[in-house]
Amino acid sequence: MPAHQNNTDTIAAIATPFGRGGIGIIRISGPLAEGITKKLFRARRPGNSLESHHLYLGELIDPDCGQMIDEILLSFMKAPHSYTCEDVVEINSHSGHVILSRILEVILHHGARLAKPGEFSFRAFKNGRIDLTQAEAIVDLVNSRSEKGLVMASRQIRGDLKTEIEKLRQSVIGIIAQMEVAIDFPEEESEILHSKETASRIKNLLVDPIKEIIAAHKRRKIWLEGITTVIAGRVNSGKSSILNRLLNEQRAIVTPIPGTTRDFIEATIDIEGIPLRLMDTAGIREVTDEVERIGISLTHKKFAEADLLLVVIDQGCALIRDDLDLIKKSQGRMSLVILNKMDLESKVDEIELKNALNTIPSVKISALTGEGIGDLCKAIKDLVINGAEDISSSPLAPNLRQKAALEEACTFFEKAARNTKDNLPAELTAVDLNSGLQALGEITGETTHEEVFDRIFNEFCLGK
Ligand SMILES: Nc1nc2c(ncn2[C@@H]2O[C@H](COP(=O)(O)OP(=O)(O)OP(=O)(O)O)[C@@H](O)[C@H]2O)c(=O)[nH]1
Ligand SMILES: [Mg+2]
């Protein structure tokens, strides 16, 4: 594969982020890790050998000039008991770009090459320490936007999804084996293979559980990526004021001039443990101004794509067509109507509003005084929790790639069940079952194409 060619090279990289910090870590992995270390490291307590899983204090020197670069802590993990299953050395040095770069430079000069992003994890995968679902969960863990997201990612790192896929694969293999007996001994077919029974086995052991895992994809989006939330409403209704309130800071410009917000403003917040990617948008109205017109068309686009809609109504004014249009467009979606400016006398016709809302919940607040903000947060939480299932019931949450492979597998298994039920030849069903098996193998990495590896591991940070 182009991005991660040689598995026998010794690779090295700075594993901690750039910038100033307490310590920095440099990681070396491969057959030369120990040899390179012996050239560069002078342990405080002299001794010839590096023992696996021990920590050593000493100096890192540049052997070409004898100069000390830094005082470091060094650990050695002998293959296969390391992250990559290769010999691994980790150097804890003082942090700072210059010092870390200097240490890395000396290591590279003595035989290692610079690791590509994700190459350590790719080796862990190639050497069988983790499968693809676990590798992908490492990226999730780093990027997670909520605590529940962390729990989900760590369960996947532990191998929960991998185990589940393996169980499905074993079921397929079992059914195929039974099919093959029927194919090899056709005269006994009727005894071994009761078509209805096999069809229901395929459904119960494969199709149904796969559909359940596919349905859990939704959960992943909420906890790991955050809920895309759009604040929309007519001009001057108080959208930017609400964003600022929820963020507890003056993020968006607020003025009494209608049409203040023209671009959209995005911020990530945590509301009662739920990660929201909150977007303030340009207020809706008829305009001739080109900039504002573009802003409003962007509002419509964001509105259409959002997971959660917060429609803001200025209750200091009577409802107008723009308000009613937005409420109408929110029907059937995860949405909440915010009746803002409750500090003012309400000019909203209650009956007209009630009819317009239908089943959409609403909450009264004042972004100006802060009244009702607690109710707003609670309403958002209730809405999201009702819309999502509890993650404690099942830890599985496939990502888009895994979901696509599951859907492919499911299509083959459904076809296999149908054909079996219709008494079509067992050979046909066996072909479909094998194709489904192949699709399941893509999830764990057994039958995955090389370019998929590149895509997955390129998402990793350098040094991971
Ligand atoms: N009385 C009162 N005024 C408010 C409240 N919320 C916002 N305002 C005022 O309403 C005006 C518009 O507020 P913004 O937050 O800029 O409204 P917006 O919906 O973002 O407006 P555009 O970006 O122009 O569409 C400002 O003068 C705010 O101070 C509220 O709860 N009560
Ligand atoms: Mg605004």
Side-chain angles (χ1 to χ4, degrees):
M1 72 193 285
H4 305 98
Q5 301 129 349
N6 199 337
N7 233 350
T8 57
D9 289 354
T10 297
I11 53 172
I14 300 169
T16 39
F18 280 118
R20 285 146 57 109
I23 58 162
I25 298 176
I26 290 161
R27 202 181 229 178
I28 315 171
S29 177
L32 299 181
E34 189 177 358
I36 293 172
T37 307
K38 283 188 171 159
K39 280 193 236 167
L40 310 181
F41 182 61
R42 258 191 227 137
R44 177 71 55 86
R45 248 194 249 149
N48 260 342
S49 66
L50 283 175
E51 267 184 69
S52 186
H53 294 80
H54 278 64
L55 202 58
Y56 295 93
L57 175 68
E59 291 174 353
L60 195 97
I61 55 157
D62 179 348
D64 292 343
C65 59
Q67 203 182 25
M68 173 181 123
I69 302 172
D70 194 9
E71 182 173 64
I72 62 162
L73 266 178
L74 182 142
S75 54
F76 174 56
M77 283 144 280
K78 183 131 194 76
H81 304 292
S82 70
Y83 180 58
T84 56
C85 294
E86 303 172 337
D87 283 356
V88 167
V89 169
E90 278 182 12
I91 294 171
N92 293 11
S93 71
H94 290 99
S95 185
H97 182 56
V98 176
I99 203 161
L100 286 167
S101 303
R102 178 86 179 92
I103 296 173
L104 181 63
E105 188 187 297
V106 183
I107 293 167
L108 298 182
H109 182 70
H110 283 87
R113 77 161 163 79
L114 187 63
K116 306 208 162 61
E119 198 168 4
F120 292 95
S121 300
F122 179 68
R123 289 187 173 192
F125 165 69
K126 269 281 172 198
N127 295 327
R129 208 180 93 80
I130 55 172
D131 80 330
L132 270 196
T133 65
Q134 291 168 307
E136 287 175 304
I138 293 170
V139 181
D140 290 343
L141 193 76
V142 175
N143 295 337
S144 169
R145 298 201 184 232
S146 73
E147 262 185 54
K148 281 200 183 178
L150 283 186
V151 174
M152 287 167 87
S154 59
R155 283 180 181 174
Q156 196 167 311
I157 289 179
R158 196 174 66 186
D160 287 13
L161 183 57
K162 172 182 156 185
T163 310
E164 204 58 34
I165 300 297
E166 195 43 48
K167 228 162 71 188
L168 290 167
R169 287 178 49 114
Q170 288 310 320
S171 300
V172 188
I173 290 167
I175 299 171
I176 292 176
Q178 191 195 26
M179 288 267 157
E180 273 164 5
V181 176
I183 293 166
D184 291 344
F185 305 99
E187 63 283 0
E188 292 165 39
E189 182 166 349
S190 58
E191 277 173 39
I192 299 167
L193 210 68
H194 300 289
S195 58
K196 274 215 177 98
E197 201 181 293
T198 308
S200 75
R201 271 187 81 197
I202 295 173
K203 184 175 176 299
N204 295 338
L205 294 177
L206 303 173
V207 175
D208 290 350
I210 290 177
K211 282 193 171 157
E212 214 170 288
I213 306 176
I214 291 173
H217 169 70
K218 194 166 78 198
R219 243 179 275 163
R220 169 196 160 79
K221 167 132 178 61
I222 291 179
W223 300 116
L224 281 161
E225 294 166 21
I227 301 166
T228 320
T229 308
V230 163
I231 309 176
R234 73 156 120 143
V235 283
N236 241 11
S237 53
K239 301 175 293 298
S240 301
S241 305
I242 293 172
L243 176 95
N244 290 341
R245 263 287 165 202
L246 290 172
L247 291 177
N248 270 327
E249 60 181 287
Q250 241 15 69
R251 179 72 182 272
I253 300 171
V254 169
T255 76
I257 306 161
T260 304
T261 309
R262 287 159 171 230
D263 207 344
F264 70 94
I265 296 165
E266 194 179 340
T268 302
I269 56 162
D270 180 310
I271 289 189
E272 311 220 1
I274 297 165
L276 294 192
R277 285 161 66 187
L278 206 55
M279 245 174 267
D280 179 23
T281 58
I284 290 169
R285 65 166 169 179
E286 286 290 329
V287 281
T288 45
D289 178 295
E290 179 65 5
V291 180
E292 199 178 343
R293 201 184 52 73
I294 295 170
I296 294 173
S297 76
L298 200 59
T299 300
H300 288 299
K301 184 168 174 282
K302 295 285 173 194
F303 189 88
E305 294 167 354
D307 299 318
L308 171 64
L309 301 167
L310 302 178
V311 176
V312 184
I313 305 287
D314 177 350
Q315 60 169 10
C317 309
L319 290 174
I320 58 165
R321 160 120 253 126
D322 288 335
D323 298 319
L324 296 171
D325 275 352
L326 269 187
I327 298 177
K328 196 165 165 203
K329 279 194 198 142
S330 311
Q331 298 290 351
R333 313 240 332 243
M334 185 156 54
S335 53
L336 177 69
V337 166
I338 302 175
L339 300 161
N340 189 33
K341 308 198 186 180
M342 71 185 286
D343 52 295
L344 302 178
E345 194 189 330
S346 174
K347 300 234 172 73
V348 171
D349 183 325
E350 292 290 331
I351 295 172
E352 191 185 13
L353 177 70
K354 196 162 169 268
N355 287 337
L357 287 177
N358 197 6
T359 57
I360 299 179
S362 65
V363 55
K364 283 188 183 174
I365 69 158
S366 167
L368 190 71
T369 65
E371 203 182 344
I373 294 294
D375 296 342
L376 171 62
C377 293
K378 193 175 168 309
I380 291 174
K381 184 185 172 184
D382 290 347
L383 203 59
V384 175
I385 296 290
N386 286 336
E389 299 150 75
D390 185 9
I391 61 158
S392 57
S393 56
S394 162
L396 305 175
N399 63 23
L400 214 56
R401 182 192 77 82
Q402 295 155 353
K403 178 174 161 253
L406 284 164
E407 280 166 346
E408 195 188 338
C410 197
T411 309
F412 283 118
F413 296 144
E414 278 178 323
K415 193 166 152 223
R418 231 177 13 248
N419 288 348
T420 311
K421 212 164 160 188
D422 294 346
N423 274 321
L424 264 68
E427 283 90 340
L428 261 182
T429 307
V431 168
D432 285 328
L433 289 175
N434 268 309
S435 303
L437 188 65
Q438 189 94 356
L440 287 179
E442 281 173 31
I443 298 171
T444 50
E446 258 159 86
T447 54
T448 314
H449 292 293
E450 297 274 292
E451 65 268 25
V452 176
F453 293 146
D454 279 352
R455 218 177 323 125
I456 291 172
F457 288 97
N458 282 338
E459 267 189 59
F460 280 72
C461 325
L462 219 67
K464 185 70 210 167

Short mmCIF file of all heavy atoms in Angstrom, two decimals, residues 240 253 260-261 280-281, ligand 2:
data_model
loop_
_atom_site.label_atom_id
_atom_site.label_comp_id
_atom_site.label_asym_id
_atom_site.label_seq_id
_atom_site.Cartn_x
_atom_site.Cartn_y
_atom_site.Cartn_z
N SER A 240 -29.22 35.42 18.00
CA SER A 240 -27.84 35.59 18.44
C SER A 240 -27.78 35.77 19.95
O SER A 240 -26.86 35.29 20.61
CB SER A 240 -27.21 36.81 17.74
OG SER A 240 -27.24 36.61 16.35
N ILE A 253 -22.76 38.94 17.37
CA ILE A 253 -23.13 40.36 17.52
C ILE A 253 -24.64 40.48 17.66
O ILE A 253 -25.39 39.88 16.90
CB ILE A 253 -22.65 41.18 16.30
CG1 ILE A 253 -21.13 41.07 16.16
CG2 ILE A 253 -23.09 42.63 16.40
CD1 ILE A 253 -20.60 41.65 14.86
N THR A 260 -28.75 41.64 11.45
CA THR A 260 -27.40 41.79 12.00
C THR A 260 -26.51 40.61 11.60
O THR A 260 -25.39 40.79 11.15
CB THR A 260 -27.45 41.89 13.54
OG1 THR A 260 -28.30 42.97 13.87
CG2 THR A 260 -26.08 42.11 14.12
N THR A 261 -27.04 39.39 11.79
CA THR A 261 -26.23 38.21 11.46
C THR A 261 -26.44 37.89 9.99
O THR A 261 -27.57 37.75 9.53
CB THR A 261 -26.68 37.01 12.33
OG1 THR A 261 -26.70 37.42 13.69
CG2 THR A 261 -25.73 35.84 12.16
N ASP A 280 -25.80 29.69 14.77
CA ASP A 280 -26.66 30.87 14.68
C ASP A 280 -26.71 31.24 13.21
O ASP A 280 -25.71 31.17 12.51
CB ASP A 280 -26.03 31.99 15.51
CG ASP A 280 -26.85 33.28 15.45
OD1 ASP A 280 -28.06 33.21 15.16
OD2 ASP A 280 -26.26 34.36 15.71
N THR A 281 -27.89 31.60 12.73
CA THR A 281 -28.01 31.87 11.30
C THR A 281 -28.58 33.25 11.03
O THR A 281 -29.09 33.91 11.94
CB THR A 281 -28.94 30.83 10.63
OG1 THR A 281 -30.22 30.91 11.28
CG2 THR A 281 -28.39 29.43 10.76
MG MG B 2 -28.34 37.54 14.80
#
